[in-house]
Amino acid sequence: MELKEVKELLEKYNQEQLLKYYDELDEAGQKELLRQITEIDFSVLKLVEEKNIEQVRGVIEPINDLCSMEDIEARKDEFFVIGADAIRNCKVGAILLAGGQGTRLGSDKAKGMYNIGINKPLYIFEMLIKNLMEVVNATGAYVPLFVMTSDKNHEDTVSFFEEMNYFGYDKSFVWFFKQAMAASCDYDGKFYLEDKGKVSMSPNGNGGWFISLGKAGLLDKVKELGIEWLNVFAVDNVLQKIADPYFVGAVIDSKTVCGAKVVSKAFPTEKVGALCLEDGRPSIVEYYELTDEMAYAKGADGKLLYNYGVILNYLFNVNKLIEITNKEMPLHIVEKKIPYIDADGNYVAPTEPNGYKFETLVLDMVHLMDNCLAYEVERSKEFAPIKNKTGVDSVESARELLSKNGIIVE
Ligand code: UTP
């Protein structure tokens, strides 16, 4: 698009601020800025207008496919055999979601490069690879690992793995791919510039991982290797088991197309999303969407009906993922700290949220699945997320949980 058309476009959406510094740019910079503006999805601005409108949900019911800790204990040997067999036959791959910005942790590097050691370095990526190596050691097979990054951290992430020699993992089993980005705006719906010639872009959420995997040409690799199941997991849970043979075995055995690791709620109103059924399909109901009656309701087993909180560790059947690839996913509006260029042309890195970014979420993918096995794990053994610097879900709390599991952080 030429300048004249871009100006018309911006006028239409009331976004003329994006050309504020246009005249100060050289020719190449001007061209690049026009290109970026042309690629903006202006339809997201509707979400800013509608942000206070409550989402209409379908009929919410308790999840029906459940493998409780008692069930797992009773059948664990069986599950291990099925899962380990799938792993040895290269039917299981792992997807590390590492495209986020970790703004709450406040590091400008990729979150996985964060050092949680005290006197001796222990990086988040290193801890995850250690966890994955347990499976390699138990099964004798490497698990193909696909790492999703974003424009903001791709180069850093790849060079870090190289520099650290993949923390001992066989690098021929590791691939990186970039997720897509989306423009971010202020509270009034005005898109930010992050430089005079650069629209402020943020990673577009973790829900686009499968499309991005395909765009990077890696779905061909998944098919070539014969991978049938993909275990998707977050970068920040340092205690999690990845490609856990027991989990894989239980999902395969249950004949569901998806599995979610879940933990029992600590108390009925805990602020976690719980696996449920929505209009008969698996879904996640947020704590604020439950009425008190629902939050406290118990089943015949004495457990809460909406008891099982998700921990962002899912197993998806690849054929099913291919089938749902083009299905639309809801777009969420998320408050974030967004660096920007202020009215005087100065770069500002805010310390508090100052606007919105737009994301699709992997949890919405669960709703596109026909069914989902809730696989219950013990929170203190498998859930140590690092979201914040201190306090709840922080480096400190994760160190404590690691040490309770015999991993002393020095
Ligand atoms: P979070 O929701 O915790 O977001 O991501 P974040 O960006 O890492 O951190 P904050 O909110 O800015 O502090 C959950 C998981 O999803 C990944 C993250 O890397 C993490 O593993 N993620 C998130 C992506 O891969 N891409 C995204 O666009 C967002």
Side-chain angles (χ1 to χ4, degrees):
M1 261 192 220
E2 295 299 317
L3 178 61
K4 187 171 165 288
E5 290 163 283
V6 169
K7 274 190 173 159
E8 281 166 14
L9 180 72
L10 294 182
E11 255 168 51
K12 178 172 164 202
Y13 290 103
N14 223 352
Q15 299 287 339
E16 291 95 328
Q17 77 285 354
L18 291 178
L19 288 179
K20 182 161 184 204
Y21 304 101
Y22 182 81
D23 294 335
E24 292 180 33
L25 305 173
D26 62 17
E27 207 184 316
Q30 291 181 333
K31 236 176 140 182
E32 172 54 20
L33 180 61
L34 296 184
R35 188 195 64 77
Q36 290 173 27
I37 295 174
T38 317
E39 287 193 352
I40 293 179
D41 175 7
F42 290 94
S43 70
V44 298
L45 294 172
K46 212 163 168 269
L47 284 176
V48 180
E49 284 165 27
E50 294 173 356
K51 65 180 186 300
N52 294 325
I53 301 177
E54 222 176 288
Q55 292 290 318
V56 183
R57 298 289 304 246
V59 177
I60 303 291
E61 290 169 299
I63 191 78
N64 49 359
D65 288 307
L66 171 68
C67 194
S68 68
M69 285 201 289
E70 295 80 37
D71 298 331
I72 298 167
E73 187 50 38
R75 297 186 60 199
K76 64 178 192 222
D77 295 343
E78 221 181 305
F79 290 156
F80 183 83
V81 170
I82 303 171
D85 187 57
I87 290 166
R88 283 191 200 104
N89 287 307
C90 202
K91 290 188 177 159
V92 184
I95 307 276
L96 166 52
L97 300 175
Q101 288 175 290
T103 51
R104 285 170 285 174
L105 192 57
S107 155
D108 52 2
K109 295 222 182 78
K111 204 173 191 179
M113 291 165 68
Y114 202 83
N115 176 12
I116 59 166
I118 301 168
N119 298 310
K120 212 172 125 209
L122 177 62
Y123 301 100
I124 293 182
F125 281 141
E126 180 179 3
M127 203 50 236
L128 296 176
I129 297 291
K130 269 184 204 280
N131 297 348
L132 189 51
M133 277 308 290
E134 282 184 20
V135 178
V136 176
N137 294 332
T139 61
Y142 275 91
V143 175
L145 173 66
F146 301 90
V147 184
M148 183 167 85
T149 62
S150 79
D151 277 350
K152 302 262 181 205
N153 64 21
H154 184 81
E155 275 76 28
D156 274 359
T157 304
V158 177
S159 21
F160 190 63
F161 269 87
E162 283 288 333
E163 191 189 321
M164 295 294 160
N165 201 17
Y166 290 71
F167 302 103
Y169 208 71
D170 182 339
K171 69 183 266 190
S172 65
F173 283 88
V174 183
W175 295 267
F176 298 90
F177 65 102
K178 276 197 220 176
Q179 70 170 98
M181 308 288 281
S184 328
C185 64
D186 68 13
Y187 288 132
D188 297 322
K190 298 270 188 197
F191 287 117
Y192 277 123
L193 285 172
E194 69 180 61
D195 207 340
K196 290 185 174 175
K198 194 160 188 287
V199 177
S200 171
M201 303 291 281
S202 307
N204 70 344
N206 55 29
W209 68 271
F210 190 65
I211 300 219
S212 300
L213 184 81
K215 281 198 176 139
L218 289 172
L219 186 54
D220 294 337
K221 180 55 72 184
V222 166
K223 290 178 185 163
E224 179 194 315
L225 292 170
I227 294 172
E228 293 177 7
W229 296 93
L230 285 170
N231 181 202
V232 179
F233 65 101
V235 71
D236 43 36
N237 175 8
V238 286
L239 256 189
Q240 73 191 311
K241 295 194 192 328
I242 303 153
D244 174 0
Y246 297 95
F247 177 39
V248 173
V251 174
I252 294 177
D253 177 76
S254 73
K255 307 235 176 333
T256 49
V257 288
C258 165
K261 283 210 170 178
V262 295
V263 293
S264 271
K265 277 189 182 170
F267 50 93
T269 51
E270 192 187 357
K271 292 184 176 176
V272 292
L275 200 62
C276 67
L277 288 178
E278 179 179 358
D279 293 336
R281 300 181 76 82
S283 191
I284 283 127
V285 58
E286 293 299 340
Y287 66 94
Y288 50 81
E289 295 173 312
L290 290 176
T291 59
D292 264 3
E293 196 187 329
M294 287 163 96
Y296 286 93
K298 287 185 177 166
D301 58 0
K303 289 185 180 160
L304 296 172
L305 289 182
Y306 299 96
N307 188 36
Y308 299 104
V310 285
I311 59 169
L312 219 175
N313 191 313
Y314 301 105
L315 189 70
F316 291 106
N317 179 278
V318 173
N319 284 336
K320 192 69 204 170
L321 287 169
I322 293 171
E323 203 181 302
I324 60 145
T325 310
N326 295 319
K327 290 241 164 111
E328 209 173 305
M329 304 238 299
L331 198 60
H332 297 262
I333 179 165
V334 188
E335 267 191 77
K336 284 270 164 161
K337 296 177 219 165
I338 303 158
Y340 66 100
I341 293 282
D342 69 11
D344 302 320
N346 301 314
Y347 180 80
V348 183
T351 49
E352 292 302 322
N354 61 327
Y356 302 118
K357 64 182 223 172
F358 303 92
E359 299 189 334
T360 57
L361 302 177
V362 63
L363 58 83
D364 289 317
M365 226 174 210
V366 173
H367 191 49
L368 299 175
M369 298 281 138
D370 304 325
N371 40 43
C372 179
L373 181 73
Y375 179 92
E376 189 192 5
V377 299
E378 204 170 322
R379 181 189 291 240
S380 60
K381 290 194 177 147
E382 295 204 27
F383 193 44
I386 299 176
K387 300 284 184 194
N388 307 300
K389 257 202 171 115
T390 53
V392 179
D393 295 344
S394 65
V395 178
E396 287 162 5
S397 62
R399 276 187 197 140
E400 242 171 71
L401 282 160
L402 283 169
S403 91
K404 280 191 186 141
N405 283 279
I407 303 156
I408 307 301
V409 183
E410 296 166 68

